[in-house]
Amino acid sequence: MRNRRKGQVGPRFAIYILGLLIMSLGLVLLIKADLGATPWDVLHVGLYYQLGLTIGSWSVIVGMFILLAAAIISKEFPQVGAFLNMILVGLFIDMYFLLPFLHTPEGLMGKLLMFTIGLLLNGYGMGLYISAQFGAGPRDSLMIALTSKTGWKVRNVRGVMEILVLLVGWWLGGPIFWGTIVIGLLIGPLAGICLPQCHKLTEYWLSSLKEKKMMVEHSKTESKRGASL
């Protein structure tokens, strides 16, 4: 795996950006559907309601504090990918909120459709950006640090994190509804489906690019040999 990625920073970075774009769109659609957002976005929207700025800005600000906490707990400096994830997701969220045609549907069926699409995009976007292997995001970095420090299982650490964040977001007036519960129940199984599929897709594309590059280099070598004869 490590050898295959060597020299493929450009393609992997393209996959990384595409994954973040898709995941951010999914997060915005979940908020816009008005049926309940993810626990972290409940917090971001609640902060936006209480203190202004933008939802994307709060995503970045909260991410900075999370990375600081993860660094203190793990006693390690966060990876560059964590900072990049934090900044780009915040920018992409605000970018999507500026789209004039992206608004909350009036009927329940429209909201359900937007919610479902948002959930799927969130899962597959997350799978793509993780498959590029540029490092975990701020929340995942904190989860890993706490898991290492406490010895708890990942699902228990993540569960406690999500509940605490959800309570603070609810206290701030964030958008909690039945969709928030659905997200909590489905995001784990969805990630279990999306991550392996995205890894296979990424590996297939990177392998194809590597083979094409080798064929081109071989063709150039053969051409040089023919010219020298």
Side-chain angles (χ1 to χ4, degrees), residues 66-140:
I66 293 170
L67 281 181
L68 178 61
I72 292 173
I73 293 170
S74 65
K75 297 179 181 179
E76 293 181 0
F77 193 77
Q79 293 182 338
V80 175
F83 287 101
L84 196 59
N85 179 297
M86 172 188 70
I87 295 170
L88 290 179
V89 170
L91 289 174
F92 292 157
I93 286 174
D94 283 345
M95 177 186 72
Y96 286 125
F97 269 113
L98 291 175
L99 296 177
F101 56 83
L102 198 61
H103 55 80
T104 303
E106 294 183 3
L108 179 59
M109 291 304 297
K111 291 181 179 181
L112 284 172
L113 179 61
M114 179 177 279
F115 181 88
T116 303
I117 294 173
L119 191 59
L120 289 172
L121 290 178
N122 186 35
Y124 279 101
M126 179 175 59
L128 275 177
Y129 102 74
I130 291 175
S131 71
Q133 301 188 29
F134 267 90
R139 291 141 192 87
D140 292 330

Side-chain angles (χ1 to χ4, degrees), residues 119-128 131 186-201:
L119 191 59
L120 289 172
L121 290 178
N122 186 35
Y124 279 101
M126 179 175 59
L128 275 177
S131 71
L186 294 183
I187 194 63
L190 183 62
I193 296 172
C194 297
L195 264 62
Q197 291 181 354
C198 290
H199 273 292
K200 287 181 180 179
L201 180 63

Side-chain angles (χ1 to χ4, degrees), residues 1-225:
M1 181 74 171
R2 198 169 287 175
N3 290 334
R4 181 177 292 181
R5 295 200 311 266
K6 195 172 182 180
Q8 291 183 293
V9 175
R12 287 193 298 113
F13 187 70
I15 294 170
Y16 180 77
I17 295 297
L18 178 62
L20 292 182
L21 279 167
I22 293 173
M23 184 183 71
S24 300
L25 177 58
L27 293 174
V28 171
L29 290 180
L30 289 173
I31 295 172
K32 284 285 189 178
D34 200 27
L35 295 176
T38 68
W40 287 100
D41 284 322
V42 169
L43 174 62
H44 300 152
V45 175
L47 288 167
Y48 162 69
Y49 286 160
Q50 299 298 324
L51 301 173
L53 298 180
T54 65
I55 296 173
S57 297
W58 283 115
S59 177
V60 174
I61 294 170
V62 170
M64 289 176 64
F65 282 102
I66 293 170
L67 281 181
L68 178 61
I72 292 173
I73 293 170
S74 65
K75 297 179 181 179
E76 293 181 0
F77 193 77
Q79 293 182 338
V80 175
F83 287 101
L84 196 59
N85 179 297
M86 172 188 70
I87 295 170
L88 290 179
V89 170
L91 289 174
F92 292 157
I93 286 174
D94 283 345
M95 177 186 72
Y96 286 125
F97 269 113
L98 291 175
L99 296 177
F101 56 83
L102 198 61
H103 55 80
T104 303
E106 294 183 3
L108 179 59
M109 291 304 297
K111 291 181 179 181
L112 284 172
L113 179 61
M114 179 177 279
F115 181 88
T116 303
I117 294 173
L119 191 59
L120 289 172
L121 290 178
N122 186 35
Y124 279 101
M126 179 175 59
L128 275 177
Y129 102 74
I130 291 175
S131 71
Q133 301 188 29
F134 267 90
R139 291 141 192 87
D140 292 330
S141 297
L142 178 59
M143 178 187 69
I144 293 168
L146 287 172
T147 300
S148 177
K149 187 73 173 180
T150 62
W152 292 6
K153 292 183 178 180
V154 172
R155 65 171 180 267
N156 295 334
V157 172
R158 192 60 182 244
V160 171
M161 285 173 57
E162 301 285 309
I163 291 171
L164 290 176
V165 167
L166 190 61
L167 289 174
V168 175
W170 172 73
W171 178 70
L172 291 170
I176 294 180
F177 200 37
W178 60 261
T180 306
I181 300 174
V182 172
I183 294 169
L185 292 174
L186 294 183
I187 194 63
L190 183 62
I193 296 172
C194 297
L195 264 62
Q197 291 181 354
C198 290
H199 273 292
K200 287 181 180 179
L201 180 63
T202 297
E203 287 300 308
Y204 175 77
W205 188 60
L206 291 178
S207 297
S208 299
L209 287 178
K210 189 173 182 179
E211 289 176 4
K212 288 180 180 178
K213 183 178 180 181
M214 290 175 64
M215 290 175 62
V216 170
E217 290 176 352
H218 179 73
S219 178
K220 288 181 179 178
T221 302
E222 291 296 321
S223 297
K224 289 179 180 179
R225 286 179 180 177

